[in-house]
Amino acid sequence: DAGVIQSPRHEVTEMGQEVTLRCKPISGHDYLFWYRQTMMRGLELLIYFNNNVPIDDSGMPEDRFSAKMPNASFSTLKIQPSEPRDSAVYFCASSLDPGQGGTGELFFGEGSRLTVL
Amino acid sequence: GENVEQHPSTLSVQEGDSAVIKCTYSDSASNYFPWYKQELGKRPQLIIDIRSNVGEKKDQRIAVTLNKTAKHFSLHITETQPEDSAVYFCAAPMTTDSWGKLQFGAGTQVVVTP
């Protein structure tokens, strides 16, 4: 397996523009997580899905952020409108439930570095 | 919810020496404690984890110890090498029924000097 695949790797946009980040989890994994990493706040969990269903979105900073998982192999994180304070590295991670034979390890993608000017 | 504190924030060691990073957590019901390593510009990757039914776990030059009474766990790296230079994050589940919903520590920048 190629691992968790994220796109784009880098995105530079202007304030007010819509940003869509994409993630393809490892095949067979039933959990998908979106994390955000900044120097000030570290690694923060934004939202996670189990079997394509959003379980907890309490980490989503505000209504400008939304995430979807239309099927087991694809998820998006959308920011509309974007603001400079959204600049960060956004990581997608997938995992297999320990009850289903997994170990609990989160497999992170390479991340999407977002810069909002 | 869980609160994880990690110390120190930076750690500089001579090659060959040992490095120790300590984390404390607040929820006594927490039962899973992973450590992730993140090299510059790369993704975090799990290097070792420990569950609450054991007090210590080793994997070659790295080990993790857990003290449930004091609610802290530590990462030990022996015989450090330049490739150990990275940021290390400890974590604990935010709630006991959500193993993947992790609260990460702030990270420790480890620099191994030759």
Side-chain angles (χ1 to χ4, degrees), chain A residues 4 6 23-25 32-35 90-94 107-109 111:
Chain A
V4 176
Q6 292 187 244
C23 176
K24 181 182 187 315
L32 184 139
F33 305 83
W34 282 100
Y35 280 86
Y90 291 81
F91 286 103
C92 174
S94 71
F107 293 84
F108 285 83

Side-chain angles (χ1 to χ4, degrees), chain B:
Chain B
E2 181 67 274
N3 182 40
V4 177
E5 294 192 357
Q6 183 171 347
H7 300 281
S9 57
T10 59
L11 182 58
S12 184
V13 296
Q14 286 283 118
E15 182 177 357
D17 288 350
S18 295
V20 181
I21 305 169
K22 182 176 175 179
C23 287
T24 59
Y25 61 97
S26 58
D27 187 351
S28 58
S30 288
N31 56 10
Y32 173 64
F33 307 94
W35 285 90
Y36 283 78
K37 175 184 180 182
Q38 186 177 26
E39 297 178 2
L40 186 63
K42 300 290 183 64
R43 59 188 165 184
Q45 291 185 288
L46 179 73
I47 55 171
I48 195 167
D49 58 16
I50 191 168
R51 299 184 191 275
S52 59
N53 57 343
V54 297
E56 183 176 4
K57 184 177 178 180
K58 286 184 179 181
D59 183 3
Q60 299 182 353
R61 295 187 298 107
I62 60 173
V64 56
T65 58
L66 172 64
N67 184 324
K68 288 211 71 181
T69 302
K71 291 190 284 187
H72 68 70
F73 56 111
S74 300
L75 179 71
H76 305 253
I77 308 173
T78 59
E79 302 173 30
T80 53
Q81 300 170 6
E83 53 263 38
D84 295 329
S85 295
V87 179
Y88 292 81
F89 295 94
C90 63
M94 290 185 191
T95 59
T96 53
D97 60 348
S98 59
W99 52 269
K101 186 179 175 183
L102 296 176
Q103 178 67 54
F104 281 89
T108 297
Q109 172 81 61
V110 173
V111 177
V112 180
T113 53

Side-chain angles (χ1 to χ4, degrees), chain A residues 12-114:
Chain A
V12 180
T13 190
E14 293 190 344
M15 183 173 63
Q17 296 298 305
E18 178 179 296
V19 173
T20 299
L21 308 178
R22 298 172 176 81
C23 176
K24 181 182 187 315
I26 293 173
S27 177
H29 281 188
D30 53 357
Y31 278 82
L32 184 139
F33 305 83
W34 282 100
Y35 280 86
R36 178 172 70 175
Q37 185 174 40
T38 61
M39 288 295 292
M40 290 298 294
R41 302 176 66 89
L43 274 163
E44 302 175 276
L45 177 64
L46 301 178
I47 185 172
Y48 76 96
F49 297 82
N50 177 219
N51 291 322
N52 314 337
V53 177
I55 302 301
D56 189 336
D57 65 354
S58 59
M60 296 286 260
E62 45 195 279
D63 292 346
R64 297 184 297 106
F65 286 70
S66 63
K68 294 182 180 180
M69 192 166 186
N71 57 62
S73 58
F74 184 66
S75 177
T76 59
L77 178 68
K78 186 174 293 187
I79 309 172
Q80 166 62 19
S82 58
E83 297 183 2
R85 58 193 168 123
D86 302 331
S87 298
V89 179
Y90 291 81
F91 286 103
C92 174
S94 71
S95 190
L96 181 62
D97 190 333
Q100 302 296 322
T103 62
E105 178 177 357
L106 297 185
F107 293 84
F108 285 83
E110 295 286 359
S112 293
R113 181 175 294 277
L114 173 64

